[in-house]
Amino acid sequence: MRILNLILFFTIPSLCYSHGGKVHREETVILPSKDAFIDIYKQVNDDYIRQVEPIFQAKCFNCHSLKTNYPWYYKLPGAKQIINDHIKEALGHLDMTEGFPFKGHETPIKDLEALKKTIQNDSMPPWYYRIFHEDSSVTDQEKELIFKWIDSSLEKLRP
Protein backbone atom coordinates (compact mmCIF):
# COMPACT_ATOMS: atom_id res chain seq x y z
CA MET A 1 0.00 0.00 0.00
CA ARG A 2 2.83 2.36 0.86
CA ILE A 3 4.46 1.74 -2.55
CA LEU A 4 1.17 2.43 -4.33
CA ASN A 5 0.82 5.74 -2.47
CA LEU A 6 4.35 6.74 -3.49
CA ILE A 7 3.69 5.87 -7.11
CA LEU A 8 0.47 7.89 -7.14
CA PHE A 9 2.13 10.77 -5.29
CA PHE A 10 4.84 11.10 -7.96
CA THR A 11 2.91 10.23 -11.14
CA ILE A 12 -0.41 12.05 -10.81
CA PRO A 13 1.09 15.56 -10.54
CA SER A 14 3.36 14.93 -13.50
CA LEU A 15 0.40 13.76 -15.57
CA CYS A 16 -1.67 16.78 -14.61
CA TYR A 17 1.04 19.40 -14.85
CA SER A 18 3.42 18.14 -17.48
CA HIS A 19 5.32 20.87 -19.34
CA GLY A 20 4.76 23.16 -16.33
CA GLY A 21 1.06 23.49 -17.08
CA LYS A 22 1.73 25.18 -20.42
CA VAL A 23 -0.65 24.49 -23.24
CA HIS A 24 1.18 23.61 -26.43
CA ARG A 25 -0.22 24.33 -29.82
CA GLU A 26 -0.33 21.19 -31.89
CA GLU A 27 1.13 21.45 -35.35
CA THR A 28 0.52 18.97 -38.07
CA VAL A 29 3.55 18.17 -40.15
CA ILE A 30 2.73 16.34 -43.33
CA LEU A 31 5.62 14.19 -44.41
CA PRO A 32 5.89 12.82 -47.91
CA SER A 33 4.85 9.22 -48.38
CA LYS A 34 7.44 6.45 -48.61
CA ASP A 35 6.98 6.38 -52.40
CA ALA A 36 7.53 10.14 -52.57
CA PHE A 37 10.77 9.79 -50.57
CA ILE A 38 11.93 7.06 -52.95
CA ASP A 39 11.19 9.37 -55.90
CA ILE A 40 13.06 12.23 -54.22
CA TYR A 41 16.10 10.04 -53.50
CA LYS A 42 16.06 8.81 -57.10
CA GLN A 43 15.88 12.37 -58.39
CA VAL A 44 18.73 13.52 -56.12
CA ASN A 45 20.82 10.49 -57.12
CA ASP A 46 20.18 11.12 -60.84
CA ASP A 47 21.38 14.72 -60.38
CA TYR A 48 24.37 13.43 -58.40
CA ILE A 49 25.37 10.97 -61.12
CA ARG A 50 25.12 13.65 -63.83
CA GLN A 51 26.65 16.60 -62.01
CA VAL A 52 28.82 15.58 -59.07
CA GLU A 53 29.84 11.93 -59.16
CA PRO A 54 32.62 12.47 -61.75
CA ILE A 55 34.21 15.02 -59.40
CA PHE A 56 33.95 12.68 -56.42
CA GLN A 57 35.32 9.79 -58.48
CA ALA A 58 38.41 11.83 -59.23
CA LYS A 59 38.82 13.47 -55.82
CA CYS A 60 37.14 11.34 -53.13
CA PHE A 61 36.60 7.73 -54.23
CA ASN A 62 40.09 6.50 -53.32
CA CYS A 63 39.13 6.74 -49.65
CA HIS A 64 35.34 7.13 -49.62
CA SER A 65 34.40 4.17 -51.82
CA LEU A 66 35.22 0.54 -52.42
CA LYS A 67 36.69 1.57 -55.79
CA THR A 68 40.16 2.53 -54.56
CA ASN A 69 42.88 3.10 -57.12
CA TYR A 70 45.91 2.21 -54.99
CA PRO A 71 49.11 4.22 -55.53
CA TRP A 72 52.46 2.67 -56.44
CA TYR A 73 53.69 2.95 -52.86
CA TYR A 74 50.83 0.82 -51.52
CA LYS A 75 53.07 -2.26 -51.67
CA LEU A 76 55.87 -0.67 -49.62
CA PRO A 77 56.32 -2.04 -46.11
CA GLY A 78 53.98 -0.31 -43.67
CA ALA A 79 52.22 1.75 -46.34
CA LYS A 80 49.57 -0.87 -47.00
CA GLN A 81 48.47 -0.96 -43.34
CA ILE A 82 48.39 2.84 -43.04
CA ILE A 83 46.41 3.25 -46.26
CA ASN A 84 43.95 0.50 -45.34
CA ASP A 85 43.39 2.09 -41.91
CA HIS A 86 42.74 5.50 -43.48
CA ILE A 87 40.31 4.03 -46.00
CA LYS A 88 38.47 2.10 -43.28
CA GLU A 89 38.09 5.30 -41.24
CA ALA A 90 36.95 7.29 -44.29
CA LEU A 91 34.36 4.67 -45.24
CA GLY A 92 33.06 4.75 -41.68
CA HIS A 93 32.29 8.43 -42.10
CA LEU A 94 30.97 8.42 -45.65
CA ASP A 95 30.80 5.68 -48.29
CA MET A 96 30.01 6.97 -51.78
CA THR A 97 30.29 3.58 -53.51
CA GLU A 98 26.61 3.12 -54.31
CA GLY A 99 25.58 6.70 -55.00
CA PHE A 100 23.07 8.77 -53.07
CA PRO A 101 21.98 8.40 -50.35
CA PHE A 102 25.51 7.73 -49.19
CA LYS A 103 26.24 5.22 -46.50
CA GLY A 104 27.29 7.22 -43.50
CA HIS A 105 26.71 7.57 -39.84
CA GLU A 106 24.04 10.23 -40.19
CA THR A 107 20.88 10.94 -42.13
CA PRO A 108 21.16 11.87 -45.82
CA ILE A 109 20.41 15.50 -44.90
CA LYS A 110 23.13 15.58 -42.22
CA ASP A 111 25.56 13.85 -44.60
CA LEU A 112 24.96 16.58 -47.20
CA GLU A 113 25.35 19.35 -44.61
CA ALA A 114 28.59 17.78 -43.33
CA LEU A 115 29.86 17.35 -46.88
CA LYS A 116 29.22 21.02 -47.64
CA LYS A 117 30.96 22.14 -44.46
CA THR A 118 33.94 19.87 -45.16
CA ILE A 119 34.34 21.29 -48.66
CA GLN A 120 33.92 24.88 -47.45
CA ASN A 121 36.63 24.34 -44.82
CA ASP A 122 38.96 22.58 -47.28
CA SER A 123 39.45 19.87 -44.66
CA MET A 124 39.41 17.07 -47.22
CA PRO A 125 41.51 15.51 -48.44
CA PRO A 126 43.86 15.52 -45.46
CA TRP A 127 47.24 17.22 -45.86
CA TYR A 128 49.15 13.93 -45.87
CA TYR A 129 47.09 12.71 -48.85
CA ARG A 130 47.64 15.97 -50.74
CA ILE A 131 51.41 15.54 -50.51
CA PHE A 132 51.35 12.59 -52.91
CA HIS A 133 48.20 13.57 -54.84
CA GLU A 134 48.62 17.19 -55.88
CA ASP A 135 45.43 17.30 -57.98
CA SER A 136 43.21 15.87 -55.22
CA SER A 137 41.80 19.16 -53.92
CA VAL A 138 38.45 20.36 -55.21
CA THR A 139 38.73 23.42 -57.48
CA ASP A 140 36.56 26.52 -57.03
CA GLN A 141 34.55 25.59 -60.13
CA GLU A 142 33.99 22.07 -58.78
CA LYS A 143 32.99 23.48 -55.40
CA GLU A 144 30.37 25.63 -57.09
CA LEU A 145 28.85 22.60 -58.85
CA ILE A 146 28.89 20.53 -55.65
CA PHE A 147 27.32 23.32 -53.57
CA LYS A 148 24.60 23.83 -56.19
CA TRP A 149 23.80 20.10 -56.09
CA ILE A 150 23.83 19.99 -52.28
CA ASP A 151 21.59 23.04 -51.92
CA SER A 152 19.15 21.74 -54.53
CA SER A 153 19.13 18.31 -52.86
CA LEU A 154 18.52 19.75 -49.41
CA GLU A 155 15.53 21.72 -50.74
CA LYS A 156 14.04 18.50 -52.10
CA LEU A 157 14.76 16.43 -48.99
CA ARG A 158 13.55 18.78 -46.27
CA PRO A 159 9.81 18.58 -45.54
Side-chain angles (χ1 to χ4, degrees):
M1 188 69 175
R2 184 179 234 179
I3 294 174
L4 180 62
N5 286 340
L6 286 173
I7 292 171
L8 291 175
F9 178 78
F10 286 107
T11 47
I12 290 179
S14 66
L15 293 173
C16 295
Y17 300 106
S18 57
H19 300 294
K22 294 179 185 174
V23 176
H24 292 280
R25 186 180 73 185
E26 289 188 26
E27 292 183 28
T28 304
V29 177
I30 300 172
L31 295 174
S33 68
K34 182 180 176 184
D35 291 338
F37 266 121
I38 291 170
D39 289 343
I40 292 168
Y41 284 146
K42 184 182 177 331
Q43 191 177 32
V44 171
N45 189 54
D46 289 346
D47 293 342
Y48 165 74
I49 290 168
R50 256 190 340 277
Q51 301 165 13
V52 179
E53 187 178 41
I55 299 168
F56 288 167
Q57 283 176 341
K59 310 288 180 157
C60 310
F61 269 38
N62 274 344
C63 296
H64 290 280
S65 81
L66 298 175
K67 301 174 182 178
T68 303
N69 182 16
Y70 293 100
W72 63 268
Y73 53 87
Y74 180 74
K75 294 182 181 182
L76 294 177
K80 181 177 184 175
Q81 181 63 36
I82 293 169
I83 291 169
N84 287 342
D85 287 346
H86 287 270
I87 292 171
K88 182 179 178 182
E89 182 182 351
L91 287 170
H93 288 287
L94 195 66
D95 182 351
M96 300 175 172
T97 304
E98 296 180 20
F100 187 85
F102 305 126
K103 291 179 184 172
H105 55 272
E106 293 287 344
T107 66
I109 290 173
K110 288 186 179 183
D111 284 342
L112 289 173
E113 290 169 344
L115 184 60
K116 185 173 184 176
K117 184 177 177 181
T118 299
I119 293 170
Q120 286 172 329
N121 296 337
D122 283 326
S123 57
M124 280 287 138
W127 65 269
Y128 50 83
Y129 185 84
R130 293 179 200 204
I131 291 171
F132 292 103
H133 305 89
E134 60 189 47
D135 63 343
S136 61
S137 295
V138 180
T139 67
D140 289 340
Q141 184 180 8
E142 291 168 334
K143 285 180 186 180
E144 189 176 318
L145 289 170
I146 295 166
F147 292 154
K148 189 182 287 188
W149 171 74
I150 289 173
D151 292 340
S152 168
S153 300
L154 288 172
E155 278 183 35
K156 293 172 187 168
L157 291 168
R158 289 187 174 126

